[in-house]
Amino acid sequence: MSAAPWWKNAVIYQVYVRSFADSDGDGTGDIGGIRSRLTYLRDLGVDGIWVNPWYPSPLNDGGYDVADYRRIDSRYGTLQDAKALIDDAHALDLRVLVDLVPNHTSSEHAWFSEAISSPPGHPSRDRYHILPGAGADGSEPPNNWKSVFGGPAWTRLPDGEWYLHLFDPTQPDLNWTNPEVQDEFCDILRFWLDLGADGFRVDVAHGLAKDTTYPDHVEESELLVSSDERIHPFWDRDDTHTYVRQWRRVLNSYPGDRMMVAEAWVAPQRVPMFLRPDEYHQSFAFSFLDADWDAAELEASIRTAVETTAGAGALPTWTLSNHDVVRHATRYGLPKGTDWRHWLLDGPHDVLDPPLGRRRARAAILLMLALPGSAYLYQGEELGLPEVWDLPLDVLDDPVWHNSGHANKGRDGCRVPIPWTRGGPSYGFGAGRSWLPQPAIFGSLSVEAQTGVTGSFLELYRSALELRRTVFPSAAGITWPASAPDGVLAFERPGGVQCWINFGAREVGLPEGADLLLGSESSVTSQRRLPGDAAVWFR
């Protein structure tokens, strides 16, 4: 019997390139910085990395406004540097996923420059959604669609026509009914696969197809919130899957189990549609990330993800944080039901309990890594980094802040460069100051401060990742004991290893004779009792 594909149960580490490591001292992370830290990632125990967009970009949306899909932004390095990174990673038995952004380009992309310099009706305009306006003189947008970043989803060109942008005005949406667009992205996939990439994380995977009758729409388009609306004019439309099948055929033509993972913010019952055998290999279970720190809510999200993916012959893909959401060490320190996206600006900020958030985050990683399927870590979570929610307003870079009319602070707080050393101008991120300011607490949370320290966040992650390889089988099974103590979320994996998480206020005793493997708090193994907001693995 052949071995399972490498990605089936992999742990992937997300590298936000601007904020990971700066090798040339300009304050911005780069490929040289990633290469210098690959042994750290190997020793952490992950199976691969996903690198956020590194293409030429005006950085109006952190690189998700791509000007050229076949080159590297000079701030990060060169194409040769990217090839060297892939080769270095492979030498350390690490895989590399490239971020693909197919829903839109930058307004500085050559295609869009050609489109807006051409007259209405020119074929180049059909690569995008460029339409006449409404009203007698065409001065109104074609419809009432809203941008998820805030404001209208249409911007008028000097010649009077309008173009669609579901995100920032500098990110015009591509028209995926156009065969040129379809062929172009198949060729982009081949380009990076030929360079050695092991796969792709696909941005806005649920957003490619649009209703080209362009009807008005009444539902607000909230940033990174799954829509439950079944027939939506621009989210999760069935035509999207036609294009994904083209990509899968490209990946299948290459050796080495090349793969792709979907960033699809869709209702949980729709996730299996993206996991059919001729489509994506993985799709994030965002309902797990969205769940409050609540046993019933988390169990429901896990059960749904396991059951629905099994129906597609797949396994779930878990994550607790990424570059778009408030870091979970902070989310879990907020009262249940807090709208953490708006809490950043609106508060009240005194309700945050940082020690509680960190304690729950330690328990959460044992929960996630015990589940069947694959897991994605966001850089810095292994250090217990909090959201830097109090960034000064004058340094904010996220277009959400500007496009929302300063009503939504945006995502910069989870993108602050991570600390490597206790001191220095940027805590080892680089030789000078970092592109976003780091709080003073980062020195005590740095890799240097935590390495070799028993009970530190970093050492907990290292221990958990090492154990995961040996105690949790690749089999998909999960069972739920009927007799778990009150307040405890408990499940068992094939091979007999159980994971318990205590959501209650009172500590509970562990079963007699339990072989304790790892606890999120040191008292778990020393006293054989599980306190509140703690987790344990045992046989």
Side-chain angles (χ1 to χ4, degrees):
M1 181 180 293
S2 60
W6 69 267
W7 46 265
K8 199 83 170 181
N9 299 279
V11 177
I12 304 297
Y13 186 98
Q14 180 188 350
V15 174
Y16 193 74
V17 59
R18 290 177 85 186
S19 300
F20 186 66
D22 170 18
S23 68
D24 59 12
D26 66 354
T28 296
D30 47 44
I31 295 174
I34 303 173
R35 292 180 67 192
S36 73
R37 302 294 186 179
L38 284 176
T39 54
Y40 164 81
L41 297 174
R42 188 265 320 268
D43 295 344
L44 180 62
V46 300
D47 300 292
I49 61 174
W50 146 33
V51 183
N52 283 97
W54 51 9
Y55 315 104
S57 169
L59 295 183
N60 290 313
D61 183 23
Y64 285 92
D65 45 324
V66 179
D68 188 333
Y69 291 87
R70 296 179 182 83
R71 290 175 46 230
I72 298 293
D73 193 295
S74 60
R75 285 166 285 204
Y76 304 143
T78 64
L79 199 58
Q80 290 71 31
D81 293 329
K83 173 60 175 170
L85 168 65
I86 293 171
D87 291 344
D88 288 353
H90 288 170
L92 294 171
D93 202 25
L94 295 171
R95 312 286 181 148
V96 179
L97 305 186
V98 174
D99 211 319
L100 186 73
V101 188
N103 180 71
H104 47 260
T105 71
S106 165
S107 55
E108 295 185 12
H109 191 282
W111 273 9
F112 194 70
S113 297
E114 180 185 7
I116 63 175
S117 63
S118 299
H122 191 272
S124 64
R125 292 202 166 192
D126 190 54
R127 297 166 179 156
Y128 297 90
H129 298 270
I130 301 179
L131 306 176
D137 58 356
S139 63
E140 298 296 323
N143 62 30
N144 69 347
W145 295 359
K146 301 294 184 185
S147 162
V148 296
F149 284 171
W154 298 91
T155 290
R156 198 176 194 189
L157 296 169
D159 59 31
E161 291 203 317
W162 298 74
Y163 70 90
L164 175 68
H165 52 86
L166 291 179
F167 294 88
D168 190 73
T170 63
Q171 294 169 290
D173 280 57
L174 288 162
N175 174 15
W176 272 87
T177 66
N178 186 312
E180 271 192 280
V181 173
Q182 298 173 31
D183 292 345
E184 169 71 354
F185 274 84
C186 285
D187 192 67
I188 290 167
L189 291 176
R190 294 187 191 97
F191 177 87
W192 290 103
L193 293 168
D194 289 341
L195 206 70
D198 298 285
F200 303 88
R201 177 267 188 186
V202 179
D203 186 59
V204 196
H206 58 304
L208 305 186
K210 314 295 193 292
D211 184 341
T212 52
T213 67
Y214 305 101
D216 279 349
H217 185 237
V218 296
E219 182 188 66
E220 287 294 324
S221 299
E222 187 83 12
L223 176 63
L224 302 181
V225 174
S226 300
S227 173
D228 290 327
E229 187 176 340
R230 178 55 206 97
I231 302 178
H232 196 287
F234 48 82
W235 294 144
D236 191 21
R237 295 182 60 80
D238 290 341
D239 288 355
T240 296
H241 301 279
T242 300
Y243 315 130
V244 178
R245 292 185 190 107
Q246 296 174 2
W247 303 344
R248 181 63 179 261
R249 288 193 290 271
V250 172
L251 267 68
N252 287 349
S253 71
Y254 282 77
D257 291 322
R258 312 296 177 99
M259 56 81 72
M260 53 184 175
V261 55
E263 185 217 20
W265 288 86
V266 297
Q269 62 270 20
R270 292 286 296 174
V271 171
M273 304 294 289
F274 291 79
L275 294 173
R276 288 175 287 198
D278 57 351
E279 297 194 34
Y280 287 99
H281 303 76
Q282 298 177 335
S283 185
F284 291 110
F286 285 127
S287 60
F288 177 75
L289 180 154
D290 268 337
D292 272 319
W293 186 253
D294 176 86
E297 193 172 338
L298 281 164
E299 180 179 342
S301 72
I302 294 166
R303 285 179 179 270
T304 298
V306 169
E307 292 167 5
T308 56
T309 56
L315 291 172
T317 301
W318 313 100
T319 191
L320 291 164
S321 284
N322 61 38
H323 64 291
D324 283 327
V325 301
V326 170
R327 286 186 176 273
H328 62 276
T330 294
R331 294 201 317 267
Y332 291 152
L334 293 169
K336 183 179 176 180
T338 300
D339 179 354
W340 39 265
R341 289 180 173 87
H342 293 97
W343 171 87
L344 295 171
L345 182 65
D346 301 337
H349 296 127
D350 59 359
V351 301
L352 175 65
D353 185 341
L356 179 64
R358 286 172 57 81
R359 183 180 180 90
R360 289 173 171 175
R362 292 172 62 89
I365 190 59
L366 294 196
L367 165 62
M368 182 173 77
L369 292 182
L371 294 170
S374 58
Y376 282 67
L377 311 179
Y378 180 47
Q379 65 176 44
E381 74 167 75
E382 77 278 14
L383 306 176
L385 294 189
E387 182 84 3
V388 187
W389 58 265
D390 55 353
L391 282 171
L393 299 183
D394 61 353
V395 306
L396 297 183
D397 184 71
D398 191 347
V400 172
W401 170 241
H402 306 291
N403 293 352
S404 68
H406 298 173
N408 187 326
K409 200 169 185 180
R411 300 160 292 175
D412 292 308
C414 66
R415 301 176 176 183
V416 173
I418 66 174
W420 296 92
T421 59
R422 288 188 177 92
S426 58
Y427 302 107
F429 167 70
R433 299 179 65 180
S434 57
W435 71 279
L436 281 175
Q438 302 155 299
I441 193 178
F442 268 29
S444 65
L445 300 177
S446 65
V447 173
E448 180 184 38
Q450 296 195 47
T451 296
V453 177
T454 301
S456 69
F457 247 95
L458 179 57
E459 295 304 336
L460 174 66
Y461 268 69
R462 285 174 171 163
S463 297
L465 288 165
E466 182 179 13
L467 265 174
R468 183 182 185 270
R469 293 179 183 274
T470 58
V471 304
F472 292 114
S474 59
I478 182 172
T479 57
W480 305 84
S483 57
D486 289 345
V488 172
L489 173 60
F491 58 89
E492 183 175 322
R493 295 294 312 286
V497 175
Q498 292 193 35
C499 178
W500 282 19
I501 309 94
N502 186 3
F503 289 86
R506 295 182 179 180
E507 67 178 17
V508 300
L510 296 172
E512 284 293 327
D515 176 16
L516 305 189
L517 301 173
L518 185 63
S520 63
E521 302 295 328
S522 59
S523 63
V524 176
T525 50
S526 64
Q527 300 175 21
R528 301 184 63 83
R529 297 187 66 80
L530 186 64
D533 298 310
V536 64
W537 293 348
F538 65 88
R539 284 192 180 90

